Amino acid sequence: LSDLVPLSTLKTLLVEALSLIERAKDLSSLEQLRVRFLGKKSLISLSLKKLKELSLEERKSTGAELHSIRSSVQDALEEKKKALKTGSSSLLLDWDYHCPVYGEEATFHPLTLTMQRLEDIFFQWGCVMVDGPQIESDYYNFTALNIPENHPSRTMHDTFYIQDRVLRTHTSSVQIHAMREWGAPLRAIAMGPTYRCDSDATHSPMFHQLEALWVDKDLNFANLKGVLQELLELFFERKVNMRLRRSFFPFTEPSAEVDIACVLCEGQGCRTCKQTGWLEILGCGMVHPSVLEHGHIDPACYQGFAFGVGVERLAMLKYGLSDLRLFYENDPRFLRQFFR
Ligand code: DAH
């Protein structure tokens, strides 16, 4: 069986199935998903069929995993079916439960739309979605990411402390959870709220980040650059002129910052890009060997690349907004302008 469909692939498939089921809009698309994931020709059914070719020992452990994957999909389908029949949906609650619903004119929050769009891109590349706590330990937020206590780079993060914990200052903290949970090879993303003590037109004490982490054999900087170029072009739906600038992050070596040609003036120079023609958009690099070690992955066998990007920043560039606070004021005149 392991030659045919590795369990890790089936687990990735499960994550994808659950996400698509949750977002199904009607019963007929739900039925299509049932056929795709549980039908006779689905990977799950084919794998179950293959079980009898395994030794008794393997059949027991693999069989249990396979059955649990199948019943998770079945349960999700059942639950969604009920929700669609009664007209209730948990989707709107997913990201921003402060977003008010205005009768028939209800729309998705622009940040929700941005995150769904990003998710779609990464799921198509076979990434798993991982998560970690927002109230995080110092270890996962800093130490495991090669930021030791008293290191000057900690001051780059204006951290909120809660007793002996921190509100995560970035989604990079999820890297360690992901590596420990899934091992290598790995393609993972994490997306969600992060917190820093900072507030003005372009900073908010709570904002969202997307983190991506690839771990595999023979990964290099060119792979990272290719993924970034593709991501930006899929997200902005056009050709994107991008450049990498040498930078420093404790958890990557080498590290770089990515700029794109200003979306407003196309690189000519304007107020938004401070006349430089470029906008700084994300941080990235090759995962530092000691970070892989903290994730229980052997840096002698595997390399990784990672990047982190602000979701609000992407949304502002995509929709041409200059004030971040619009996202949190929940003014219906603003919110109603965004459609899927
Ligand atoms: N965590 C960084 C920040 O919040 C962003 C970042 C930079 C994430 C480089 C990465 C990376 O994964 O490789 O500023």
Side-chain angles (χ1 to χ4, degrees), residues 170 172 175 196 209 211 249 251-252 283-285 306-308:
H170 51 182
S172 302
Q175 285 190 17
R196 291 190 200 177
Q209 278 192 344
E211 187 83 14
F249 297 101
F251 31 91
T252 42
C284 65
F307 51 93

Side-chain angles (χ1 to χ4, degrees), residues 21 29-40 42 73 77 81:
I21 291 168
S29 37
L30 199 62
E31 174 58 16
Q32 281 171 11
L33 290 173
R34 189 194 63 75
V35 173
R36 174 166 159 198
F37 290 105
L38 296 182
K40 268 194 208 140
S42 66
V73 178
L77 284 165
K81 201 174 192 176

Side-chain angles (χ1 to χ4, degrees), residues 156-157 169-172 175 196 207 209-212 249 251-252 255-256 282-287 305-309:
M156 281 160 62
H157 302 237
T169 58
H170 51 182
T171 42
S172 302
Q175 285 190 17
R196 291 190 200 177
F207 59 104
Q209 278 192 344
L210 160 78
E211 187 83 14
F249 297 101
F251 31 91
T252 42
S255 307
L282 61 85
C284 65
M286 300 305 292
V287 179
F305 64 70
F307 51 93
V309 54

Side-chain angles (χ1 to χ4, degrees), residues 278-292:
W278 295 96
L279 295 167
E280 187 184 309
I281 134 160
L282 61 85
C284 65
M286 300 305 292
V287 179
H288 196 288
S290 70
V291 174
L292 291 173

Side-chain angles (χ1 to χ4, degrees), residues 15-24 30 33 36-37 120:
V15 178
E16 188 191 355
L18 295 183
S19 159
L20 289 171
I21 291 168
E22 168 64 15
R23 281 151 60 181
L30 199 62
L33 290 173
R36 174 166 159 198
F37 290 105
D120 287 344

Side-chain angles (χ1 to χ4, degrees), residues 1-7 10 42-70:
L1 175 75
S2 53
D3 281 338
L4 271 166
V5 187
L7 268 176
L10 290 173
S42 66
L43 274 187
I44 295 179
S45 301
L46 292 176
S47 307
L48 280 164
K49 260 197 180 160
K50 284 267 160 196
L51 267 183
K52 53 178 178 300
E53 292 172 17
L54 298 180
S55 69
L56 185 65
E57 224 13 56
E58 283 177 306
R59 213 183 309 159
K60 265 194 201 153
S61 59
T62 314
E65 294 250 31
L66 271 178
H67 282 290
S68 117
I69 290 174
R70 184 174 63 178

Side-chain angles (χ1 to χ4, degrees), residues 84-108:
L84 282 172
K85 281 186 175 156
T86 58
S88 66
S89 165
S90 63
L91 236 199
L92 272 176
L93 302 178
D94 241 352
W95 293 107
D96 184 354
Y97 35 83
H98 302 298
C99 176
V101 177
Y102 294 94
E104 285 171 15
E105 286 185 63
T107 60
F108 283 100

Side-chain angles (χ1 to χ4, degrees), residues 8-289:
S8 60
T9 306
L10 290 173
K11 284 183 189 163
T12 309
L13 197 73
L14 170 64
V15 178
E16 188 191 355
L18 295 183
S19 159
L20 289 171
I21 291 168
E22 168 64 15
R23 281 151 60 181
K25 288 204 186 71
D26 49 42
L27 289 171
S28 81
S29 37
L30 199 62
E31 174 58 16
Q32 281 171 11
L33 290 173
R34 189 194 63 75
V35 173
R36 174 166 159 198
F37 290 105
L38 296 182
K40 268 194 208 140
K41 290 186 190 147
S42 66
L43 274 187
I44 295 179
S45 301
L46 292 176
S47 307
L48 280 164
K49 260 197 180 160
K50 284 267 160 196
L51 267 183
K52 53 178 178 300
E53 292 172 17
L54 298 180
S55 69
L56 185 65
E57 224 13 56
E58 283 177 306
R59 213 183 309 159
K60 265 194 201 153
S61 59
T62 314
E65 294 250 31
L66 271 178
H67 282 290
S68 117
I69 290 174
R70 184 174 63 178
S71 40
S72 302
V73 178
Q74 270 166 344
D75 292 349
L77 284 165
E78 272 312 305
E79 210 171 286
K80 185 70 191 186
K81 201 174 192 176
K82 269 191 221 144
L84 282 172
K85 281 186 175 156
T86 58
S88 66
S89 165
S90 63
L91 236 199
L92 272 176
L93 302 178
D94 241 352
W95 293 107
D96 184 354
Y97 35 83
H98 302 298
C99 176
V101 177
Y102 294 94
E104 285 171 15
E105 286 185 63
T107 60
F108 283 100
H109 192 281
L111 289 178
T112 306
L113 292 176
T114 306
M115 289 192 270
Q116 286 176 348
R117 185 173 183 79
L118 290 165
E119 260 177 40
D120 287 344
I121 297 172
F122 282 95
F123 285 165
Q124 142 198 327
W125 290 336
C127 292
V128 289
M129 172 70 96
V130 278
D131 204 3
Q134 292 176 43
I135 301 176
E136 185 56 282
S137 71
D138 186 281
Y139 173 78
Y140 282 99
N141 196 77
F142 292 123
T143 314
L145 292 169
N146 216 17
I147 316 178
E149 219 171 309
N150 301 324
H151 192 277
S153 66
R154 281 206 184 192
T155 53
M156 281 160 62
H157 302 237
D158 304 293
T159 314
F160 286 112
Y161 289 89
I162 300 181
Q163 292 161 359
D164 61 342
R165 309 216 142 218
V166 300
L167 287 183
R168 68 176 179 198
T169 58
H170 51 182
T171 42
S172 302
S173 57
V174 185
Q175 285 190 17
I176 306 293
H177 293 290
M179 286 190 274
R180 290 191 179 180
E181 189 177 332
W182 292 83
L186 174 67
R187 284 182 186 188
I189 55 164
M191 207 155 27
T194 46
Y195 304 85
R196 291 190 200 177
C197 190
D198 206 353
S199 186
D200 60 32
T202 53
H203 296 90
S204 149
M206 189 280 303
F207 59 104
H208 297 76
Q209 278 192 344
L210 160 78
E211 187 83 14
L213 172 67
W214 250 245
V215 179
D216 212 329
K217 293 186 170 155
D218 303 322
L219 274 189
N220 61 40
F221 214 91
N223 302 135
L224 166 61
K225 192 175 172 204
V227 167
L228 289 171
Q229 182 82 44
E230 186 76 11
L231 167 68
L232 294 173
E233 295 194 349
L234 287 172
F235 179 78
F236 288 110
E237 296 173 291
R238 57 178 177 76
K239 273 241 143 314
V240 171
N241 197 2
M242 164 187 115
R243 72 174 183 190
L244 291 163
R245 247 182 320 106
R246 185 83 174 85
S247 183
F248 170 77
F249 297 101
F251 31 91
T252 42
E253 182 56 38
S255 307
E257 257 161 298
V258 176
D259 297 338
I260 59 170
C262 179
V263 284
L264 294 183
C265 64
E266 293 293 339
Q268 298 306 303
C270 67
R271 256 180 59 194
T272 301
C273 60
K274 302 196 183 92
Q275 309 303 332
T276 61
W278 295 96
L279 295 167
E280 187 184 309
I281 134 160
L282 61 85
C284 65
M286 300 305 292
V287 179
H288 196 288

